[in-house]
Amino acid sequence: MKVKQRRNSGKSTLADVAKMTGVSTMTVSRVLREPEKVSPQVREKIEAAISELGYVPNLAASNLASSTSRLVTMVVPSLSTPGCALFSEALHRVLKPKGYNVILAEDHYTAADESKLIEMMLSYSPAAMVMYNFDSTEESTNLLLKSTIPVVQVGGTIIDPLGINIGSNYGLAIKQLINALALKGYQNIALLCAAHEHHIVQQILSGWHSAMLSLNKSPHRVVSSTQPPNAQLGQSLLPEILLNWPELDLLICTSDELAMGAIAACHKKGISVPAQLAVTGLGDSDIAQLCSPALTTVAVPYKQMGTQTGKLILAAINGDEIEESVTLPTQVMLRASTAVH
């Protein structure tokens, strides 16, 4: 197997070793730090790859960071990212009693500055890094792999995560929602998708197309925006959506905030929800039950993600064997915004 080497120095990286051996970077890092906690078969394979590639780990820097830092850094697209507050609160509750503090930074959906943000957060020499609904560029990925600290990617499920992945399958969530509402008689369905990280958007669109095609319905009614998924966007886009598809009887929004804005626009235009247009969200945030009518949505376990993330970070820091990919189930919550059919 030919392994791509880092351009700037020509030296092999931790990721190269992981790729050659077919394990995660977390496992390679564990072999370097605490080899007795990895099975002999896996350890021998990794050690052979290290020898073949000539990989030279910076163990001094890695051990210094992991043994002295009581800080966990977390990056998000925005503090208003759906579920961010619930997740970070649950994470804090697990880490704080163990003496760890969490510092949080946002990139305001500006991917161009992402690597600078990651580099800045790594400059604090954290014990671990959390990436909440946050895609990683190639440059950022190289920075994180070079650091050798535990990295947790939270949000959607990721096939090849940097370290640990905790999330829900957003494609399956959308598919479950569409199937449940199709049984209630909805025929003309549209999807309103705002700015989410790439892997989440891909999952949502995949689930959307799969569900619609399985029902023998066209998946063409999709509106995508690069703007953050907030109520203002949902309210501003609804008139355009109804102008394009006046036959619409169900609008699926990819966040509860978007859906709340769409419902507000319906009230303003005198459109009855759900008698004339049913609206759904995604996330089951607090506003879902406060909307009028109460919002049909999909419950995403943000609190559970935060708790699991905290526990796995502590286990990784201790060198324990951990589950490196955790998929948490979602649940359709049928409420009054889709109750007519």
Side-chain angles (χ1 to χ4, degrees):
M1 179 185 297
K2 185 177 180 181
V3 179
K4 184 178 178 180
Q5 294 185 328
R6 192 154 34 107
R7 295 176 188 171
N8 59 351
S9 66
K11 295 180 181 179
S12 297
T13 68
L14 195 76
D16 295 334
V17 177
K19 185 175 181 180
M20 173 172 279
T21 53
V23 301
S24 70
T25 55
M26 184 77 66
T27 301
V28 176
S29 180
R30 188 177 295 119
V31 166
L32 295 171
R33 292 184 289 108
E34 296 175 295
E36 70 281 358
K37 293 188 176 181
V38 181
S39 68
Q41 296 85 352
V42 174
R43 186 170 68 241
E44 289 174 7
K45 184 166 63 172
I46 291 174
E47 289 173 346
I50 289 173
S51 177
E52 181 177 344
L53 292 171
Y55 172 61
V56 181
N58 187 356
L59 289 177
S62 175
N63 290 336
L64 179 63
S66 63
S67 64
T68 62
S69 178
R70 308 298 290 180
L71 182 69
V72 171
T73 52
M74 174 176 164
V75 291
V76 297
S78 169
L79 296 178
S80 62
T81 300
C84 178
L86 294 173
F87 172 85
S88 59
E89 181 181 353
L91 176 66
H92 179 81
R93 286 180 178 177
V94 175
L95 295 179
K96 186 64 176 179
K98 300 298 182 181
Y100 288 88
N101 289 305
V102 179
I103 183 172
L104 189 151
E106 55 183 343
D107 78 339
H108 300 282
Y109 296 95
T110 54
D113 297 326
E114 178 190 304
S115 61
K116 293 180 181 178
L117 178 64
I118 296 296
E119 189 172 15
M120 180 191 73
M121 299 302 273
L122 288 174
S123 70
Y124 290 98
S125 298
M129 171 83 80
V130 178
M131 306 176 76
Y132 181 80
N133 280 11
F134 196 94
D135 284 336
S136 180
T137 63
E138 182 178 356
E139 187 175 357
S140 296
T141 296
N142 289 335
L143 288 170
L144 291 165
L145 292 174
K146 185 179 179 181
S147 73
T148 74
I149 63 172
V151 176
V152 188
Q153 292 174 285
V154 181
T157 53
I158 299 175
I159 296 176
D160 188 21
L162 291 173
I164 304 169
N165 173 221
I166 299 176
S168 295
N169 188 323
Y170 282 80
L172 180 59
I174 289 292
K175 192 170 183 177
Q176 290 171 334
L177 179 62
I178 292 172
N179 288 338
L181 294 173
L183 291 175
K184 294 172 70 67
Y186 290 102
Q187 296 292 324
N188 301 305
I189 309 172
L191 177 70
L192 173 55
C193 185
H196 298 278
E197 293 305 284
H198 179 70
H199 74 283
I200 293 178
V201 170
Q202 292 299 105
Q203 284 184 17
I204 288 173
L205 292 177
S206 176
W208 161 260
H209 281 85
S210 175
M212 296 297 285
L213 293 176
S214 69
L215 295 169
N216 293 317
K217 298 181 183 298
S218 172
H220 74 280
R221 297 188 189 96
V222 177
V223 174
S224 295
S225 172
T226 59
Q227 299 300 311
N230 54 41
Q232 290 78 13
L233 181 65
Q235 186 171 11
S236 65
L237 288 180
L238 183 74
E240 176 187 341
I241 292 170
L242 294 179
L243 181 64
N244 289 330
W245 304 302
E247 74 281 7
L248 205 65
D249 60 6
L250 172 62
L251 176 64
I252 295 177
C253 303
T254 57
S255 82
D256 291 346
E257 293 77 12
L258 275 174
M260 183 179 70
I263 289 176
C266 285
H267 292 334
K268 187 175 181 180
K269 293 176 68 68
I271 298 172
S272 176
V273 178
Q276 293 175 270
L277 178 65
V279 179
T280 79
L282 178 63
D284 196 27
S285 61
D286 291 341
I287 65 172
Q289 296 189 57
L290 298 177
C291 279
S292 180
L295 183 65
T296 288
T297 184
V298 181
V300 179
Y302 299 122
K303 290 182 180 179
Q304 190 177 353
M305 287 181 187
T307 300
Q308 286 279 83
T309 298
K311 290 179 177 179
L312 288 178
I313 285 175
L314 294 175
I317 291 172
N318 290 333
D320 300 334
E321 288 292 334
I322 59 174
E323 190 174 1
E324 296 175 349
S325 182
V326 179
T327 300
L328 301 175
T330 56
Q331 181 181 1
V332 175
M333 311 297 289
L334 295 175
R335 299 193 180 105
S337 70
T338 59
V340 166
H341 284 62

